[in-house]
Amino acid sequence: MIEDFETIKRLPPYVFAEVNKIKMEARKQGDDIIDLGMGNPDSPTPGYIIEKLVKASKNPKNHRYSVSRGLYKLRLAVADMYKRHYGVDIDPDGEAIVTMGIKEGLSHLMLAIINKGDVALVPNPTYPIHAYSVVIAGGDVRSIPLVQGEDFFKNIMTALRQTWPKPKVIILNFPHNPTTVTVEPDFFEKLVDFAKENNMYVIHDNAYADLTFDGYKAPSFLQVKGAKDVGVEFFSMSKSYSMAGFRVGYAVGNRVLINALSRIKSYLDYGMFQPIQIASIIALNEEAEHNAVSEMVLHYKKRRDILIESFKMAGWNIEKPKATMFVWGKIPERFLSAGIKSLEFSKLLLDKAKVAVSPGVGFGNYGDEYVRFALVENEMRIRQASRGIKHFINNEEFFSKVV
């Protein structure tokens, strides 16, 4: 049989798989690997959510097909949350849809709206699905550098001038994964004006909106006047509610885009298991009563502080992020000067320090001088990681051999 799969040919090898392969081999050999690579929350889902899930699972009525758009009461709970948190009115019928996490929702939205050859503007570095959902849909991606010391919005305008055909959509994510960059409301105000002037849709991934620290509050794209005219916002319950395995997300905003996603999903799925949706309703509606998100924020803040402090003592100074469950660390200069970039450095960390991280190049070539740490190990393990890293980066004999 001829394997003539054009879409698959456009997808590069998954960089993270190379590090994961080495990690698994090391564990087979008995090595104790501290895994700060994949952003897979290790905290249990709050008890009040699990109790509702169990109860709903025992009801035979919930064992049947659901609806691809998501239960109305869940869409209503999402709308209520947006009103409480952001002062934004959302119509649960025409402006909200439940998705199986953000990756599914974003990918299917791109399949619905991207025609072959359409161009999307996407930051670089970025979470891989932001770019490759466009590729899978048959579109083309124009990368916009999101790097320290540069005006990102200026880079957006430069990309627009240099791109033909004109971009159809821009996909963004603030607070940002992997760089942890944050924005203020005025950024979205400029973005809405920019999108209207250039007849462009905006897709905003707001997965880390709840995980903010030190007084910073992440704005919603939809808070800006006119935002619903040009775009939608996605949110996931994976992180701030520690519901990663539940695969619950949603999109809210522009009616045309929500309808397009709803139509394509009606052909592809019947929605997620209904008890999961019922548990998600309770998660959103009773969050304030149980302080679930507030406790999750404190949980990640403590880990962030310990990682930054202990790594500094180890000789690696990293900027403290204001949001997300990640830390974006620039590779120590002595390694960069020796030509060691993120993939090789990640392999060295794994081999010599017994610490697994995500190489920055896996998020785009502009991330190649960085590695990403996920705050998914407990405080003791993070301190253990810092000791291994200290031994590695300060080992003069080893370094002289490497370079």
Side-chain angles (χ1 to χ4, degrees), residues 147-159:
V147 295
Q148 190 173 21
E150 293 189 13
D151 184 331
F152 179 61
F153 201 86
K154 184 177 180 181
N155 288 345
I156 293 175
M157 292 187 289
T158 299

Side-chain angles (χ1 to χ4, degrees), residues 44-56 246 279:
T45 305
Y48 77 102
I49 301 172
I50 295 298
E51 289 173 9
K52 191 64 179 180
L53 173 67
V54 171
K55 183 178 180 181
F246 287 58

Side-chain angles (χ1 to χ4, degrees), residues 64-307:
R64 306 173 69 186
Y65 288 130
S66 186
V67 288
S68 60
R69 295 180 60 206
L71 296 177
Y72 174 77
K73 286 188 177 180
L74 179 51
R75 287 181 275 125
L76 181 61
V78 169
D80 290 343
M81 185 278 284
Y82 259 80
K83 186 65 174 179
R84 292 195 308 271
H85 285 200
Y86 305 115
V88 175
D89 291 314
I90 298 292
D91 174 11
D93 275 323
E95 297 178 338
I97 186 170
V98 178
T99 63
M100 297 177 188
I102 292 176
K103 289 180 74 171
E104 176 271 314
L106 177 61
S107 298
H108 284 154
L109 178 59
M110 292 303 103
L111 283 174
I113 70 171
I114 293 292
N115 302 320
K116 187 174 183 179
D118 281 346
V119 176
L121 300 180
V122 182
N124 185 335
T126 192
Y127 186 56
I129 198 61
H130 294 158
Y132 290 108
S133 62
V134 178
V135 172
I136 291 168
D140 296 316
V141 175
R142 174 64 191 270
S143 293
I144 310 168
L146 177 57
V147 295
Q148 190 173 21
E150 293 189 13
D151 184 331
F152 179 61
F153 201 86
K154 184 177 180 181
N155 288 345
I156 293 175
M157 292 187 289
T158 299
L160 178 71
R161 290 194 298 269
Q162 297 175 347
T163 302
W164 184 261
K166 288 185 66 175
K168 186 174 192 175
V169 61
I170 181 169
I171 302 173
L172 298 173
N173 160 224
F174 295 108
H176 188 252
N177 176 17
T179 69
T180 75
V181 167
T182 57
V183 297
E184 300 295 338
D186 65 318
F187 174 86
F188 288 134
E189 291 171 3
K190 292 190 294 183
L191 183 66
V192 169
D193 291 340
F194 174 81
K196 287 184 175 181
E197 289 170 8
N198 294 284
N199 195 31
M200 186 186 310
Y201 284 121
V202 176
I203 313 298
H204 183 234
D205 175 352
N206 206 21
Y208 301 96
D210 289 336
L211 300 182
T212 59
F213 319 114
D214 307 328
Y216 174 72
K217 183 177 180 181
S220 165
F221 161 70
L222 294 179
Q223 285 177 279
V224 175
K225 183 179 179 181
K228 285 197 286 187
D229 296 334
V230 295
V232 296
E233 186 163 80
F234 282 91
F235 182 81
S236 165
M237 301 186 73
S238 295
K239 314 304 184 186
S240 47
Y241 291 86
S242 202
M243 294 171 62
F246 287 58
R247 309 310 304 132
V248 183
Y250 51 79
V252 291
N254 182 270
R255 289 177 180 270
V256 173
L257 294 179
I258 296 297
N259 181 61
L261 179 53
S262 177
R263 286 194 64 187
I264 199 166
K265 279 176 64 65
S266 70
Y267 284 92
L268 296 171
D269 68 74
Y270 285 110
M272 69 192 71
F273 187 41
Q274 200 149 282
I276 289 177
Q277 296 189 62
I278 294 170
S280 300
I281 295 168
I282 298 302
L284 290 169
N285 288 344
E286 298 184 9
E287 185 280 322
E289 178 183 339
H290 296 275
N291 294 315
V293 173
S294 299
E295 290 180 7
M296 204 62 65
V297 169
L298 292 175
H299 167 78
Y300 284 117
K301 181 181 183 298
K302 184 177 181 181
R303 290 184 175 185
R304 176 205 66 167
D305 292 345
I306 289 173
L307 187 146

Side-chain angles (χ1 to χ4, degrees), residues 312-331:
K312 183 177 181 179
M313 293 176 65
W316 191 355
N317 290 317
I318 299 175
E319 186 175 346
K320 183 182 288 188
K322 292 192 293 186
T324 78
M325 57 179 288
F326 304 111
V327 172
W328 185 240
K330 189 169 187 179
I331 297 168

Side-chain angles (χ1 to χ4, degrees), residues 13-24:
Y14 208 50
V15 172
F16 307 121
E18 194 168 342
V19 176
N20 287 336
K21 182 179 178 181
I22 299 172
K23 176 180 67 180
M24 297 308 297

